[in-house]
Amino acid sequence: DQVLHIVPETLQQVQHLQHLCSTSLLDLWKPLLPEDIWAGHDLHIRVPAPLVQEVKDSLDQHMISYKVLIPDVQELVDQSMPRETSSHRQIPEGYNYTKYNSMEEIYNWMAQIQKSNSELVTQHYLGKTIENRTMYYLQISQPSSNAKKIIWMDCGIHAREWISPAFCQWFVKEILQNYKSDPKIQKFLQNLDLYILPVLNIDGYIYSWEKARLWRKNRSPHMNGTCYGTDLNRNFNSSWGSVGVSYNCSSEIFCGSGPESEPETRAVVQLIEKKKSDILCYLTIHSYGQYILTPYGSTTKPPNNNEELMHVAQEAAAALMGKYGTSYKVGSTSLILYSNSGSSRDWAHMIGIPFSYTFELRDTGTHGFLLPPEQIQPTCEETM
Amino acid sequence: IPGVGLKFYLQFTTVNYRSGEDAGSCFATVLYPKKRSPPTVNIKCTYTRDWKQIQEEDKRFYQKLTHQSKPIIANDIPDSHGNIEHALLPVWGLAVAGSSYIMWEKSTENLGYFLAQVKSARQQIRNSKSVEFEFIVLLHEIPTQKIIRCHMHLSWSFGHPPKVRYSCTSDNDQPEDGSGMELGSDAGISHEREENF
């Protein structure tokens, strides 16, 4: 939108301007009413963006000269809004959750988060990546004498899906920031522990920042270092290697040399196996597509608790849509997406975790993996 | 359809690529011949916006492009972080429109595509009679998850659908060329749609 400054000179010009204002419903800033437009007096009108060219053309046609007082109204509005100060002691000062953060930033953030929220958060060692980087997860746990069930969430299993780790960071921030003031969160944490793995495929994530933005797999070397990467989401021991995979390293869906061949996979498996009797829900976050996917990918045979799985997912999708109108499709991977085997979601369900879901976040292909940072906040808010 | 292929009947709504606003709705039939591309498409759409307005916007865009003193040259649209410079949004739109022909020609009932990124856009100023661009676009192939790299030459004369020539490669495959979809009226396609951003 623009604001134009005009000083009409003749009665004809005044009449034309009055006509323009009322027919195009332009926003008169000065004077307030069309009838108060006078020759020789200042006129300020705000013209909505889609009409700017048309209005200017009309002014030109009638030989009415104008100046652009404000070239971009939105910009001014944004600038005049007070910056959201992270006045919360608990959240690292100045950490930006509405941009994509590098792995180095994420490592620092995890350490900081634990330090400033030590009553609730502990950082745990999970394992090492193939390039020997350390994998950490955050445990959010309210101190209590009773044993609690666990909800596990991992992000960033596929390197190029940057909105996914962004969501994990956002999620942690939301929980911690609102814990004191939100009774729902307190109730949640009374009976549940949250285990969050912000970046599963650390090597891949870094590679997508430094070398190839659209990289997907991890960075394990094959064929004497002439080919790299296993698709970690085809590497789990759930009908491994049976469908929707490639046995060729050069493929993006290469399932690895065997189930759990990758250290990243093994690190996750070890921890989840150990705690599986307490894990209620397994969530793995991807992009894009806007889906909530239930098991299985390797077969169309429904899981034993399919009705309940679907019901919960549908409630989630409805709640999500309630926020910004974003629509998510819900269903089993093999039915609504495509067949694949060796996924972490399938594996989690097969070892007995009752609620296991893959989230595919925004969008539906317009930007795909390159989701603009302005969409980080709304995506995370609605998914929350 | 036994012996021929799979036919789908579709009804869907459309939104403006940039604003997300409702843009209209369409009825279409898509026939995938057995294991081959491209699919045969018949489509009819209604538009929420006034046709004349759309044409006028197109005309202005066209004039702007054909009267550039310097050719438009840009890389990475969107960039790694998902940003697109405001001034480059129409160039992105042009690439989207052109890529849609490539994606259409390559689609089968088992292979689908999205435009992942415009790697580069280079305008070629020849004459003021047509808009010419050389693009490199990256297509995301489902379900293989491959990223396909295509060189695309787009040529647009106002009042006609854009013409696209392309050549795609993906790591192991042989390069495949095509001259996309110069849409004739016997295909029964409302191609005016493609011109409008």
Side-chain angles (χ1 to χ4, degrees):
Chain A
D1 297 7
Q2 293 193 341
V3 176
L4 305 179
H5 174 216
I6 300 165
V7 185
E9 289 161 41
T10 69
L11 182 58
Q12 247 182 344
Q13 291 187 348
V14 170
Q15 281 171 341
H16 176 72
L17 287 164
Q18 286 171 336
H19 176 79
L20 199 61
C21 284
S22 30
T23 50
S24 305
L25 294 177
L26 298 180
D27 182 11
L28 261 183
W29 282 15
K30 176 179 173 169
L32 287 177
L33 300 168
E35 42 263 48
D36 296 326
I37 298 177
W38 289 79
H41 282 74
D42 280 358
L43 179 64
H44 294 173
I45 30 167
R46 180 185 65 85
V47 185
L51 296 177
V52 166
Q53 197 51 56
E54 189 180 309
V55 166
K56 286 180 176 172
D57 288 348
S58 171
L59 294 174
D60 289 344
Q61 267 180 340
H62 286 80
M63 314 268 270
I64 302 176
S65 57
Y66 59 89
K67 270 209 312 255
V68 178
L69 198 59
I70 301 176
D72 188 345
V73 176
Q74 188 59 52
E75 196 167 43
L76 264 191
V77 170
D78 291 340
Q79 277 166 16
S80 63
M81 292 297 206
R83 287 254 157 246
E84 204 189 303
T85 41
S86 21
S87 49
H88 304 270
R89 203 180 33 88
Q90 308 131 293
I91 308 307
E93 292 289 326
Y95 194 76
N96 194 339
Y97 293 92
T98 58
K99 76 169 176 63
Y100 296 111
N101 293 300
S102 67
M103 198 59 219
E104 194 186 325
E105 288 172 305
I106 298 176
Y107 271 127
N108 291 334
W109 168 79
M110 279 196 277
Q112 251 304 115
I113 279 273
Q114 183 190 237
K115 230 165 72 178
S116 28
N117 296 272
S118 45
E119 347 73 72
L120 285 178
V121 182
T122 41
Q123 183 179 315
H124 296 264
Y125 174 88
L126 188 69
K128 291 258 191 183
T129 67
I130 190 77
E131 289 181 341
N132 213 27
R133 294 190 176 88
T134 310
M135 299 166 71
Y136 294 111
Y137 68 93
L138 295 172
Q139 181 179 339
I140 303 179
S141 200
Q142 194 182 265
S144 144
S145 49
N146 53 308
K148 279 171 273 153
K149 289 294 179 186
I150 299 169
I151 297 189
W152 166 280
M153 181 165 76
D154 60 63
C155 294
I157 196 173
H158 287 141
R160 57 194 181 198
E161 298 166 11
W162 287 14
I163 185 65
S164 165
F167 175 68
C168 268
Q169 292 162 66
W170 183 281
F171 182 86
V172 169
K173 156 189 82 87
E174 276 295 304
I175 297 284
L176 296 176
Q177 213 167 50
N178 300 310
Y179 169 69
K180 294 240 160 75
S181 55
D182 191 337
K184 274 205 297 233
I185 298 183
Q186 285 160 18
K187 187 150 184 247
F188 216 72
L189 290 178
Q190 243 163 46
N191 301 302
L192 292 166
D193 285 347
L194 302 171
Y195 286 37
I196 315 288
L197 173 56
V199 185
L200 199 159
N201 180 7
I202 298 175
D203 299 341
Y205 187 68
I206 294 176
Y207 193 76
S208 73
W209 270 72
E210 297 178 350
K211 294 273 169 27
R213 176 60 178 85
L214 297 175
W215 189 257
R216 169 183 166 89
K217 305 182 288 179
N218 76 347
R219 291 294 299 165
S220 60
H222 298 269
M223 315 208 300
N224 274 348
T226 58
C227 177
Y228 283 84
T230 298
D231 183 343
L232 294 173
N233 204 34
R234 302 284 187 279
N235 190 240
F236 284 76
N237 195 12
S238 42
S239 307
W240 178 87
S242 58
V243 67
V245 296
S246 165
Y247 306 113
N248 201 321
C249 168
S250 51
S251 166
E252 297 283 5
I253 48 178
F254 173 51
C255 53
S257 48
E260 297 177 15
S261 58
E262 308 306 300
E264 294 92 344
T265 312
R266 287 198 300 273
V268 172
V269 164
Q270 257 159 34
L271 197 277
I272 296 189
E273 273 282 5
K274 201 162 86 176
K275 309 249 176 179
K276 71 178 174 197
S277 47
D278 290 322
I279 303 180
L280 184 60
C281 178
Y282 172 83
L283 298 172
T284 180
I285 312 295
H286 292 240
S287 80
Y288 53 92
Q290 292 172 202
Y291 298 102
I292 300 179
L293 300 169
T294 59
Y296 297 105
S298 50
T299 168
T300 51
K301 189 178 110 178
N304 47 26
N305 61 337
N306 195 44
E307 250 180 64
E308 207 184 359
L309 270 174
M310 287 293 292
H311 178 74
V312 170
Q314 268 150 5
E315 296 264 330
L320 199 155
M321 189 171 209
K323 186 83 183 166
Y324 295 114
T326 310
S327 96
Y328 270 57
K329 297 208 260 293
V330 173
S332 118
T333 303
S334 53
L335 288 177
I336 69 172
L337 201 54
Y338 48 73
S339 296
N340 67 339
S341 58
S343 72
S344 63
R345 174 214 54 241
D346 281 4
W347 173 78
H349 193 270
M350 286 177 181
I351 61 162
I353 294 171
F355 293 95
S356 185
Y357 298 100
T358 304
F359 271 72
E360 295 275 358
L361 300 178
R362 289 197 192 177
D363 55 21
T364 51
T366 308
H367 298 88
F369 300 119
L370 308 180
L371 194 68
E374 309 84 72
Q375 288 204 37
I376 296 179
Q377 178 158 345
T379 305
C380 293
E381 284 183 338
E382 69 193 6
T383 313
M384 202 78 201
Chain B
I1 304 182
V4 179
L6 286 177
K7 188 168 187 184
F8 294 87
Y9 295 82
L10 299 167
Q11 184 185 356
F12 54 93
T13 53
T14 60
V15 297
N16 181 296
Y17 214 74
R18 282 164 60 170
S19 67
E21 266 172 45
D22 171 50
S25 59
C26 304
F27 282 91
T29 63
V30 179
L31 172 63
Y32 289 108
K34 283 179 130 194
K35 301 239 167 82
R36 276 182 314 131
S37 10
T40 309
V41 175
N42 279 289
I43 184 166
K44 251 203 163 68
C45 296
T46 56
Y47 307 100
T48 46
R49 287 188 63 205
D50 174 45
W51 190 247
K52 235 182 69 175
Q53 234 190 339
I54 299 178
Q55 293 250 281
E56 270 162 37
E57 265 178 32
D58 263 16
K59 183 95 211 203
R60 271 196 291 267
F61 177 44
Y62 186 82
Q63 308 274 42
K64 189 147 174 273
L65 287 177
T66 48
H67 288 88
Q68 290 278 132
S69 48
K70 276 190 314 199
I72 296 175
I73 296 184
N75 295 309
D76 290 343
I77 313 172
D79 68 15
S80 283
H81 291 247
N83 298 305
I84 303 181
E85 251 178 86
H86 193 263
L88 291 176
L89 279 169
V91 175
W92 181 53
L94 201 52
V96 170
S99 308
S100 65
Y101 291 114
I102 305 178
M103 296 191 281
W104 177 7
E105 279 206 336
K106 291 165 73 60
S107 294
T108 67
E109 81 195 58
N110 297 308
L111 276 181
Y113 297 89
F114 292 100
L115 175 61
Q117 190 183 37
V118 178
K119 229 22 207 160
S120 78
R122 266 173 158 58
Q123 183 178 15
Q124 292 163 334
I125 301 196
R126 301 240 175 99
N127 50 52
S128 61
K129 296 236 158 58
S130 68
V131 167
E132 310 269 333
F133 267 90
E134 284 286 335
F135 289 104
I136 297 179
V137 294
L138 299 178
L139 303 182
H140 176 211
E141 185 179 80
I142 311 266
T144 61
Q145 298 294 340
K146 277 199 261 203
I147 301 292
I148 315 276
R149 195 181 175 92
C150 299
H151 284 254
M152 172 171 75
H153 181 93
L154 185 148
S155 172
W156 178 32
S157 305
F158 190 77
H160 301 269
K163 293 203 199 103
V164 164
R165 271 188 343 257
Y166 65 92
S167 173
C168 297
T169 50
S170 97
D171 305 321
N172 308 316
D173 293 1
Q174 307 290 3
E176 9 152 326
D177 298 359
S179 62
M181 302 324 249
E182 194 190 319
L183 306 171
S185 52
D186 51 343
I189 295 154
S190 157
H191 46 244
E192 291 90 317
R193 183 170 54 92
E194 263 78 31
E195 298 175 10
N196 302 311
F197 309 115

